[in-house]
Amino acid sequence: MANNASAAVEPVELTDYFIHEDGVAFAGRHLLIDLWDAEHLTDIDYIEQTVCRAAAAANATVLKVDLHQFSDSGGVSGVAILAESHISIHTWPERDYAALDVFMCGSCNPHNALPILKSAFNAKSATVNETRRGVVA
């Protein structure tokens, strides 16, 4: 039997949609977004259209949207499942507040969803925190 332990190994190209930037590889960008003094927080159809428009602006592919409206407050919670991850939303209409998270991998840019979300909900103020998920190098 021949010993091939010293044989050259061809590098394998990974197709896992990790982002490679500034010498760092990571799974994706995760934006945590707080919208204050926001509107349209009880309109479930409007919210669905808005998260789909935000996904399109980020160059993401919507696979499914699942939203639920709470009858006692009118608030809406749900998620748009993307081929590249997700956009979730939780609204508190009694506080004019919405919490969203936008997590995307690959060539999608979640920052491109921000103007759509801020404008559609007519938010008077917004805070955005970004985290790189799955940092490996």
Side-chain angles (χ1 to χ4, degrees):
M1 235 190 240
N3 182 352
N4 291 329
S6 63
V9 177
E10 292 294 320
V12 176
E13 183 177 330
L14 297 177
T15 55
D16 58 10
Y17 300 98
F18 266 52
I19 298 165
H20 300 271
E21 184 176 278
D22 301 325
V24 177
F26 54 99
R29 288 184 168 80
H30 198 161
L31 304 183
L32 301 178
I33 305 162
D34 291 331
L35 301 179
W36 290 99
D37 295 317
E39 299 174 359
H40 308 292
L41 302 180
T42 61
D43 188 336
I44 196 166
D45 294 328
Y46 185 86
I47 291 169
E48 180 171 358
Q49 292 169 9
T50 298
V51 297
C52 288
R53 285 184 24 235
N59 202 33
T61 305
V62 176
L63 301 176
K64 180 180 180 181
V65 178
D66 190 10
L67 299 171
H68 174 80
Q69 187 156 31
F70 296 93
S71 60
D72 58 339
S73 71
V76 174
S77 288
V79 63
I81 301 168
L82 310 174
E84 302 82 7
S85 199
H86 71 272
I87 298 174
S88 69
I89 185 166
H90 307 280
T91 71
W92 285 262
E94 67 277 12
R95 302 262 182 177
D96 299 325
Y97 170 71
L100 294 103
D101 68 84
V102 179
F103 180 35
M104 295 180 181
C105 64
S107 62
C108 295
N109 186 344
H111 290 280
N112 292 343
L114 287 171
I116 301 292
L117 297 170
K118 289 178 189 177
S119 174
F121 292 111
N122 198 26
K124 305 294 184 283
S125 69
T127 58
V128 179
N129 292 295
E130 178 176 343
T131 300
R132 289 180 175 181
R133 304 292 306 269
V135 175
V136 293

